[in-house]
Amino acid sequence: MMNTDDTVTIYDVAREAGVSMATVSRVVNGNKNVKENTRKKVLEVIDRLDYRPNAVARGLASKKTTTVGVVIPNIANAYFATLAKGIDDIADMYKYNIVLANSDESDEKEINVVNTLFSKQVDGIIFMGYHLTDKIRAEFSRSRTPIVLAGTVDLEKQLPSVNIDYAVASADAVKLLAKNNKKIAFVSGPLVDDINGKVRFSGYKDGLQANGLEFSEGLVFESKYKYEEGYALAERVLNAGATAALVAEDEIAAGLLNGISDRGIKVPEEFEIITSDDSLVTKYTRPNLTSVSQPLYDIGAIAMRMLTKIMHKEDLDNREVILNHGIKERGTTK
């Protein structure tokens, strides 16, 4: 008698095909030690019953779930969405499933989603975030699950990672702005985030010094990673006397651009802006945002390829991959 539950089990397939569950398992896993007529009979029953092998159950036997967890701080952010696309394409190529976990830019939720992924026995995790807290480092170090960072800096260089050189990129952006401006603002996400407060900020100051400009704390502005926050900052940035801004994130930059424009200041004639992520947001604004350019898809794809190597016990050629960047000049610079 068939299982009355909606879920068809390996037991149902074995009974219908008149074989052992071990034989069904061998057929499902591509084991060649099965007679051809038996294989055909089992496959016919699998097709007729629409049997879908339980990946978690298979994983318990093989110690592998062929599943990778991807932690993303904001699923709606175009920057991380493009990274995730690169991850997903390579995962698909290597027959891994993706479990996407949104941490909502919350340190507490970040811990929860990582532990949830560990409990699901994922084979590996790709972590994207603005800052590696001590708590998240502790969780990673306690687990044997392989971790790779994508678009996320690790100043302690403990974890494999893929990034661009954000400090040099920021210095390059300041160099371009310094052609026409002496007061260049640094408009950033929270400075507690290493990528902002240590790496990009350092590049900003290096860029000022290299171009003979003085650093002023009055030209440094913090913001949450939201369009509305950038828009609200426009008045303060203008009141500080800035005539240009290096912005650490595209949504903040779009808000700042519109906030400045709505106050009657012409961009780029009277105010220049360079943003940092070159996500699709840069094409949505008018004028389009000049940006540090970085190969977002490649960052995700290479991170996933690194993870597959670690999961397959292969050696990594390089644990800290730095990809090339550039400056994509558009309408917000002269």
Side-chain angles (χ1 to χ4, degrees):
M1 185 174 169
M2 270 289 295
N3 186 349
T4 54
D5 193 323
D6 289 337
T7 303
V8 176
T9 69
I10 191 171
Y11 177 74
D12 297 323
V13 175
R15 187 178 57 245
E16 286 284 309
V19 299
S20 68
M21 286 189 285
T23 298
V24 176
S25 178
R26 283 195 286 270
V27 171
V28 167
N29 290 301
N31 191 313
K32 291 184 170 56
N33 297 326
V34 182
K35 291 179 182 177
E36 188 56 33
N37 62 337
T38 303
R39 183 190 307 280
K40 285 182 179 176
K41 182 165 60 174
V42 170
L43 289 173
E44 183 274 323
V45 173
I46 286 173
D47 187 51
R48 176 158 51 84
L49 298 184
D50 195 23
Y51 170 61
R52 300 178 187 276
N54 186 319
V56 174
R58 280 210 316 249
L60 292 174
S62 67
K63 303 299 183 191
K64 291 183 179 176
T65 58
T66 61
T67 301
V68 168
V70 178
V71 180
I72 191 167
N74 182 351
I75 204 165
N77 186 291
Y79 171 81
F80 291 109
T82 307
L83 285 182
K85 175 64 176 159
I87 293 166
D88 188 54
D89 283 357
I90 300 302
D92 189 52
M93 186 186 301
Y94 285 89
K95 309 300 182 196
Y96 280 92
N97 300 308
I98 292 290
V99 175
L100 203 59
N102 185 23
S103 65
D104 278 337
E105 299 170 17
S106 158
D107 292 348
E108 186 178 341
K109 187 172 180 186
E110 198 170 69
I111 295 287
N112 291 339
V113 298
V114 165
N115 281 321
T116 298
L117 291 173
F118 286 153
S119 71
K120 290 182 185 297
Q121 297 181 309
V122 293
D123 294 337
I125 288 177
I126 292 184
F127 181 85
M128 293 182 269
Y130 297 108
H131 180 67
L132 284 173
T133 63
D134 290 339
K135 285 184 178 179
I136 203 74
R137 283 185 186 281
E139 295 299 325
F140 287 162
S141 64
R142 271 199 291 269
S143 171
R144 292 184 179 180
T145 305
I147 313 285
V148 174
L149 308 178
T152 303
V153 296
D154 178 10
L155 298 181
E156 296 180 22
K157 303 186 187 305
Q158 294 174 335
L159 296 163
S161 61
V162 188
N163 293 284
I164 64 165
D165 191 324
Y166 303 106
V168 173
S170 294
D172 290 346
V174 171
K175 182 180 179 181
L176 178 57
L177 293 172
K179 288 181 181 178
N180 304 305
N181 304 280
K182 298 207 179 303
K183 285 200 168 186
I184 301 168
F186 180 62
V187 179
S188 168
L191 292 172
V192 70
D193 293 345
D194 288 342
I195 195 169
N196 299 319
K198 294 200 170 73
V199 184
R200 284 189 175 121
F201 192 29
S202 171
Y204 164 72
K205 290 193 284 190
D206 288 346
L208 293 176
Q209 186 175 17
N211 290 279
L213 300 177
E214 285 189 21
F215 168 72
S216 166
E217 285 189 8
L219 291 173
V220 178
F221 301 88
E222 281 187 90
S223 166
K224 292 179 182 174
Y225 300 102
K226 295 184 182 300
Y227 169 89
E228 295 81 6
E229 296 263 335
Y231 189 92
L233 273 178
E235 190 167 358
R236 286 176 55 203
V237 171
L238 291 172
N239 288 343
T243 60
L246 167 61
V247 187
E249 196 267 344
D250 293 351
E251 286 196 27
I252 301 171
L256 182 67
L257 167 61
N258 286 350
I260 285 172
S261 298
D262 285 355
R263 282 164 177 77
I265 306 298
K266 292 180 180 176
V267 177
E269 293 83 358
E270 298 173 283
F271 196 99
E272 294 185 78
I273 298 174
I274 298 181
T275 189
S276 297
D277 291 339
D278 200 29
S279 71
L280 288 172
V281 171
T282 61
K283 316 285 201 318
Y284 296 160
T285 61
R286 290 294 178 270
N288 290 171
L289 284 158
T290 293
S291 181
V292 170
S293 62
Q294 48 180 309
L296 300 184
Y297 179 92
D298 292 354
I299 290 173
I302 291 169
M304 183 62 213
R305 181 65 185 108
M306 288 170 72
L307 188 62
T308 64
K309 285 189 173 185
I310 300 169
M311 292 186 298
H312 296 150
K313 305 290 191 283
E314 298 173 33
D315 291 332
L316 291 180
D317 300 327
N318 184 3
R319 285 175 56 86
E320 188 182 2
V321 175
I322 301 295
L323 301 181
N324 293 332
H325 70 271
I327 303 282
K328 190 73 176 174
E329 295 188 47
R330 299 191 180 95
T332 56
T333 49
K334 295 175 189 173

